[in-house]
Amino acid sequence: MSEQHIPMQQRKAQALPRGTGTLCDWYVARAENATLWDNEGNSWIDFAGGIAVLNTGHRHPRIEQAVAAQLTKFTHTAFQITPYESYVALAERINQRVPVAGPAKTAFFTTGAESVENAVKIARAYTHRHGVIAFGNSFHGRTLMTMAMTGKVAPYKRDFGPMPASVFHARYPSAIQGISIDAALDSLDAIFTQDIAPQDVAAIVLEPVQGEGGFHAAPAAFMVKLRELADRYGILLIADEVQSGFARTGKLFAMEHYPVKADLITMAKSLAGGMPLSAVSGRAEVMDAPAPGGLGGTYAGNPLAIAAAHAVLDVIEEEQLCARAAELGGRLDAWLQDYRKQCPAIADVRALGSMVAVEFTQAAIAQAIQKKAMENGLLLLTCGAKGNVIRFLYPLTIPDQQFHQALDILTSVLNDCAADVEKNAVTA
């Protein structure tokens, strides 16, 4: 039988390892702004955004034009062999905007995990220390070092053997999980007492808003205490903004919501509108710690992705996407808060700009809503330590009419699932 006559799901199962799991059983054929179509012409409103990659939407014309123009020049040289001006110019633009104290410098890489790993390398080179403190329920990547830093075992660490040493986990403050700011700070003290001396810690790494962990935003008071603690012991503070950056929270960076600054900030996802690009920005003296050749990568700062990132920054500014994120997120937050009054299955609603999530009392409810939403043309993602949170990652460029259409679908789906809960059809 020819490949054309074998069902795609069967071809996938035969060709790919089972570890490359997928949410959808359909295959995308084309996309535009906030809409996805499959090979049969069915469409979905995309509230997943490639997992926070598409703040500027699918195939934004400005990004298409920028990549097409770069294609006529060159596609790759390896920057550390033959540099190009666009890489330097993008670093200059980010250095002007990144919220760190004093002059900043930026290096580009390819993936979010790669940016986090390089931030750790830079911190170790600058401090001449080895320890790294991350937080429970965090997600930093799937490479060996970032897997060790990620604060969740299944599915990220399970079956993969011993993790790298000198990585420790503190508690991340969360009201709904009963973790106060004091409890989180006490967990850091416990690490310093029981696991590693603070004088041996190179960096504390946290997501200002946890992504996979359920869209928990660090309280401002906690961030202030964390900055004070880092300064007291000479520890660098690294903000992982891979998911929260580039207008998602209503600011270009989530750290702009806080009264303190990080020493290093990692970024990726929506940085380049779907092209693979990541970066580490930070205080110039810290970024200069690694020796020449210590940072880089064959594809790091690929010229097509760099061109896309320039266009992304243009679009964010020209279309005022930070303000748009605050407006859309405010609408969705208000709608969810209002709906919560009639839906006991909703345990919490959290929002910072358009980084919005709704937590349910049971994971099965979130999964049922996700399934029914897809059946009705709306693509949603779950997250959270227990998988009981739905997060909303729509493109910030979504038209108002389509945004309201998505809310109509969500209303219908929530009503159906609420009725199922009342009938005890959904169980834990």
Side-chain angles (χ1 to χ4, degrees), residues 43-61:
S43 65
W44 287 265
I45 300 173
D46 186 3
F47 266 41
I51 316 181
V53 168
L54 297 162
N55 289 355
T56 51
H58 293 274
R59 296 176 49 245
H60 193 289

Side-chain angles (χ1 to χ4, degrees), residues 269-314:
K269 291 193 181 284
S270 279
L271 165 59
M275 298 294 287
L277 185 68
S278 64
V280 180
S281 296
R283 293 194 288 120
E285 66 272 23
V286 175
M287 292 293 295
D288 277 338
L295 303 176
T298 301
Y299 296 106
N302 171 270
L304 298 175
I306 292 285
H310 276 288
V312 164
L313 290 177
D314 291 340

Side-chain angles (χ1 to χ4, degrees), residues 19-287:
T20 56
T22 55
L23 170 65
C24 303
D25 60 3
W26 48 271
Y27 291 75
V28 63
R30 62 189 179 95
E32 183 174 353
N33 200 357
T35 308
L36 295 163
W37 289 269
D38 69 6
N39 290 309
E40 299 177 356
N42 302 305
S43 65
W44 287 265
I45 300 173
D46 186 3
F47 266 41
I51 316 181
V53 168
L54 297 162
N55 289 355
T56 51
H58 293 274
R59 296 176 49 245
H60 193 289
R62 289 292 298 273
I63 298 171
E64 281 191 326
Q65 293 163 11
V67 173
Q70 183 59 46
L71 274 169
T72 67
K73 300 172 184 176
F74 57 92
T75 62
H76 176 75
T77 67
F79 182 80
Q80 60 264 43
I81 304 301
T82 307
Y84 29 95
E85 187 271 343
S86 58
Y87 182 116
V88 177
L90 183 61
E92 290 171 335
R93 294 181 73 178
I94 291 175
N95 292 342
Q96 292 173 356
R97 294 294 306 273
V98 69
V100 299
K105 290 189 175 184
T106 296
F108 295 107
F109 304 98
T110 309
T111 68
E114 197 177 356
S115 69
V116 175
E117 290 229 3
N118 277 278
V120 171
K121 285 168 52 180
I122 293 165
R124 285 176 166 175
Y126 181 77
T127 62
H128 303 288
R129 303 173 180 183
H130 59 90
V132 175
I133 296 175
F135 289 85
N137 296 327
S138 62
F139 180 83
H140 297 291
R142 289 180 170 89
T143 58
L144 198 59
M145 184 65 185
T146 56
M147 187 166 51
M149 295 166 64
T150 292
K152 185 176 181 180
V153 172
Y156 308 115
K157 300 183 183 183
R158 187 177 57 200
D159 303 329
F160 296 122
M163 296 292 114
S166 298
V167 176
F168 308 93
H169 288 89
R171 305 181 76 191
Y172 193 98
S174 166
I176 193 168
Q177 295 174 349
I179 305 173
S180 66
I181 293 173
D182 287 341
L185 293 170
D186 287 345
S187 72
L188 284 160
D189 288 338
I191 289 172
F192 294 149
T193 302
Q194 301 168 14
D195 298 311
I196 185 171
Q199 292 79 10
D200 291 326
V201 175
I204 296 173
V205 186
L206 89 161
E207 300 160 274
V209 186
Q210 289 194 326
E212 295 291 324
F215 283 23
H216 299 279
F222 178 70
M223 198 71 82
V224 170
K225 292 290 185 180
L226 208 57
R227 180 72 270 177
E228 292 174 353
L229 184 149
D231 290 341
R232 186 185 318 144
Y233 294 116
I235 299 170
L236 295 184
L237 183 61
I238 301 176
D240 181 345
E241 293 236 30
V242 168
Q243 187 160 165
S244 61
F246 295 93
R248 174 52 56 180
T249 66
K251 304 283 188 181
L252 191 62
F253 297 97
M255 283 300 296
E256 294 180 69
H257 291 280
Y258 296 97
V260 297
K261 300 180 186 298
D263 298 297
L264 296 168
I265 294 181
T266 65
M267 58 198 81
K269 291 193 181 284
S270 279
L271 165 59
M275 298 294 287
L277 185 68
S278 64
V280 180
S281 296
R283 293 194 288 120
E285 66 272 23
V286 175
M287 292 293 295

